[in-house]
Structure formats: C-alpha cells, structure tokens
Amino acid sequence: MAANKNTNIVLLGLGKVGRELVSQVLASKHALTFTALADSRGVIGAKDGLKPTQVQTAITTKAAGNSLAALPESLSASQLCAFLQSGSILVDTSASDATTPIIKEALAKGC
C-alpha cells in the first residue's frame, strides 16, 4: 500500500470563511498541509509546511482583527507566489479581484 502523499494548500484570505476552512483542514485526517496563508498585506509560509503553532497564531491574529503583516515572520503579500508549487491546491476566500494575478500564476505552475 502506497504512503499518503501530503497535499500542500496555499490559502488567500483568512476572514471568517478562510478561518473555518483552516479549522476543518486541521481537524481532518487527510494529509493536507498549509504551505502559505495570506491576507491583503502579509504572508506567512514555509515550503515544507507551516507548523501547527504558526497556523494557530495566524488564525488568532486574524480573529483579533489584525493583519498577518503584524507577525514577525510575515513576508510582503507580493512574495506569496514563491510558495506555489506544482500540485498545490490554491484556495481563494478573499473575495478580491486583486488575487487574479496570483491565480493565473498558480495555474501556470500546475496548481
């Protein structure tokens, strides 16, 4: 039997819908890993997957009404594309047209 391959997720938008998605993914038994979480001003990411504590800190930060840019490990939103890898799942819960270039790049990379 083949080992489960981890599937990487890049999430745009950590409003109520995005935070609920994160909660459901973390509660699932599927091999899913967040490689990047982004809002309009900041990104946190790790090519080998964010640690659960990083994900929880991001959720807490956003629930408090702050941007991911407030986190010490945050990168500028323009650096998000560095975390797009072939086979990744890109989820956009942002409801913003500003994500269109990121979605196009993700498609070009095979996400």
Side-chain angles (χ1 to χ4, degrees):
M1 188 166 174
N4 286 343
K5 180 184 179 243
N6 223 24
T7 300
N8 295 325
I9 301 173
V10 173
L11 177 60
L12 308 174
L14 282 171
K16 187 172 183 174
V17 172
R19 291 192 308 270
E20 179 60 29
L21 174 66
V22 170
S23 294
Q24 290 183 21
V25 167
L26 293 177
S28 79
K29 298 191 187 314
H30 300 285
L32 301 169
T33 302
F34 288 100
T35 51
L37 301 172
D39 64 14
S40 61
R41 290 177 278 168
V43 172
I44 62 167
K47 289 199 177 200
D48 57 345
L50 292 166
K51 296 175 184 161
T53 53
Q54 291 174 296
V55 174
Q56 190 55 53
T57 298
I59 295 303
T60 302
T61 299
K62 290 301 294 181
N66 299 310
S67 170
L68 294 180
L71 298 174
E73 69 269 31
S74 182
L75 305 168
S76 72
S78 65
Q79 294 177 290
L80 175 66
C81 290
F83 299 100
L84 296 172
Q85 304 167 30
S86 178
S88 293
I89 297 172
L90 175 67
V91 181
D92 183 1
T93 64
S94 69
S96 170
D97 291 338
T99 61
T100 300
I102 296 166
I103 294 169
K104 288 181 178 179
E105 183 165 344
L107 289 170
K109 289 185 173 185
C111 297

